[in-house]
Amino acid sequence: MSLSNVVAVALRTVGLRRTLRGLDGHRIVRMHVKTVLAALVSAGAGWGVLQLYVRLAGEIYGLSWWEAVLVVAVVGTVMTGVYVGGLRVLRVRELDELLGPLLGKVRRLARR
């Protein structure tokens, strides 16, 4: 399955290069490196929050369902914030393109 995915990406890349008359491979790789770096920092932040919880509560095993949901929600929120912040710091342009329309709607709702 993995091999077929790699072959499919390679073939589609060749097709896209022909259709678009070239791809900016350097920019694409640079963007992926930035997103992986932001994801690693986010994972470290999530791990740190989880370790803080373990120190305060004792352990994470044997939690009730609601406690587990709360831990996942807090850690997930921290990781999302750190990831988006990391993408901003690293100036990943695609983030602005993704969030632009959403933030515009939020601003319009806030003015009402």
Side-chain angles (χ1 to χ4, degrees), residues 69-82:
V69 167
L70 180 65
V71 169
V72 169
V74 169
V75 172
T77 301
V78 168
M79 289 179 69
T80 300
V82 170

Side-chain angles (χ1 to χ4, degrees), residues 3-96:
L3 180 60
S4 71
N5 286 334
V6 170
V7 170
V9 167
L11 292 174
R12 288 184 182 174
T13 301
V14 170
L16 277 172
R17 280 192 176 152
R18 286 183 188 153
T19 303
L20 300 175
R21 297 186 183 136
L23 289 176
D24 191 0
H26 179 69
R27 190 174 138 266
I28 293 169
V29 169
R30 187 174 52 224
M31 187 267 306
H32 279 83
V33 168
K34 288 179 179 181
T35 58
V36 167
L37 182 61
L40 290 173
V41 172
S42 172
W47 183 81
V49 170
L50 189 59
Q51 294 307 308
L52 179 64
Y53 178 81
V54 168
R55 286 189 182 216
L56 295 174
E59 67 175 56
I60 59 171
Y61 304 104
L63 297 177
S64 71
W65 190 85
W66 290 108
E67 289 171 326
V69 167
L70 180 65
V71 169
V72 169
V74 169
V75 172
T77 301
V78 168
M79 289 179 69
T80 300
V82 170
Y83 182 68
V84 170
L87 293 178
R88 281 219 180 268
V89 167
L90 294 172
R91 296 184 186 133
V92 175
R93 200 172 55 183
E94 289 78 4
L95 177 67
D96 295 331

